[in-house]
Amino acid sequence: EAGVAQSPRYKIIEKRQSVAFWCNPISGHATLYWYQQILGQGPKLLIQFQNNGVVDDSQLPKDRFSAERLKGVDSTLKIQPAKLEDSAVYLCASSPLGGSYNEQFFGPGTRLTVL
Amino acid sequence: GESVGLHLPTLSVQEGDNSIINCAYSNSASDYFIWYKQESGKGPQFIIDIRSNMDKRQGQRVTVLLNKTVKHLSLQIAATQPGDSAVYFCAENHSNDYKLSFGAGTTVTVRA
């Protein structure tokens, strides 16, 4: 079974530029999560989708971050404009509907550096 | 702020010894406590979870202990191997929102 795919793996941008990350979850997983992991810290949930609907986006900085999962499969997370403090690894995870919310399957992440 | 945290940021263990990774939490309303392992350059990987009404759960080479009296969680790894070198995170889950809250992590290094 293929795991969660993310691209790009690395991205370097200047502050105030825009950036987008892509995630393709495990086939059949209805729930998709985006996390931000700052160096030395645990992942922090940004947004959770179930199919193409948003379940929780309470920790998403909506003035600059946006995410979509239009067809209920793959998802895109965008930052516009980026700030220095956005430098982090952005992790995508998925889980099956009816499965344990405790076991989420993570992709390798996209490491973003904002200069 | 975070409601789970770890006692020590690093742990060095001799190969073959048992490892004990500790975590303190402050939210008594959590329904589950979970351990994840993150190897360098990879996303976190689920290890084991324990429901709040239990005090011990065993998996393959791992045991999680929960002490609700002192709000303490630990992960024991038996016969630690080089492949166990990673950052270990404890997390909590409230069943009313199913959102995982992760602590800061402990880096485990296995010495040959």
Side-chain angles (χ1 to χ4, degrees), chain B residues 40-97:
Chain B
S40 180
K42 297 183 179 180
Q45 180 182 17
F46 174 87
I47 301 173
I48 191 168
D49 61 1
I50 185 167
R51 194 164 182 171
S52 59
N53 62 355
M54 300 172 64
D55 51 23
K56 181 179 180 178
R57 189 172 186 210
Q58 289 185 295
Q60 187 176 12
R61 270 200 318 120
V62 296
T63 300
V64 57
L65 299 177
L66 178 62
N67 186 331
K68 292 179 285 294
T69 302
V70 295
K71 297 182 180 177
H72 181 269
L73 180 73
S74 69
L75 178 71
Q76 300 178 6
I77 305 174
T80 310
Q81 303 170 357
D84 296 326
S85 292
V87 180
Y88 289 81
F89 294 97
C90 61
E92 61 170 350
N93 189 343
H94 303 281
S95 60
N96 61 339
D97 62 18

Side-chain angles (χ1 to χ4, degrees), chain A residues 56-113:
Chain A
D56 186 336
D57 63 357
S58 59
Q59 298 189 87
L60 187 74
K62 298 180 186 65
D63 58 332
R64 298 184 301 105
F65 287 64
S66 64
E68 59 184 17
R69 193 185 184 199
L70 295 176
K71 296 182 179 179
V73 181
D74 56 351
S75 175
T76 303
L77 176 70
K78 297 180 181 178
I79 308 176
Q80 180 180 10
K83 293 185 176 181
L84 296 177
E85 58 261 37
D86 297 333
S87 293
V89 175
Y90 291 84
L91 295 162
C92 179
S94 68
S95 62
L97 197 61
S100 168
Y101 285 96
N102 297 332
E103 185 172 7
Q104 298 177 13
F105 297 84
F106 284 81
T110 296
R111 182 177 297 278
L112 173 68
T113 302

Side-chain angles (χ1 to χ4, degrees), chain B residues 25-55:
Chain B
Y25 66 92
S26 58
N27 192 340
S28 300
S30 297
D31 294 293
Y32 283 93
F33 298 91
I34 310 106
W35 284 99
Y36 273 80
K37 171 187 179 183
Q38 186 173 25
E39 296 177 80
S40 180
K42 297 183 179 180
Q45 180 182 17
F46 174 87
I47 301 173
I48 191 168
D49 61 1
I50 185 167
R51 194 164 182 171
S52 59
N53 62 355
M54 300 172 64
D55 51 23

Side-chain angles (χ1 to χ4, degrees), chain A residues 21-74:
Chain A
F21 313 124
W22 176 82
C23 171
N24 192 20
I26 293 173
S27 177
H29 281 195
T31 308
L32 184 147
Y33 315 79
W34 282 103
Y35 288 85
Q36 180 192 59
Q37 186 175 24
I38 292 172
L39 186 64
Q41 298 182 17
K44 184 185 84 171
L45 180 69
L46 293 175
I47 188 167
Q48 176 181 346
F49 291 94
Q50 185 164 302
N51 296 312
N52 61 349
V54 176
V55 173
D56 186 336
D57 63 357
S58 59
Q59 298 189 87
L60 187 74
K62 298 180 186 65
D63 58 332
R64 298 184 301 105
F65 287 64
S66 64
E68 59 184 17
R69 193 185 184 199
L70 295 176
K71 296 182 179 179
V73 181
D74 56 351

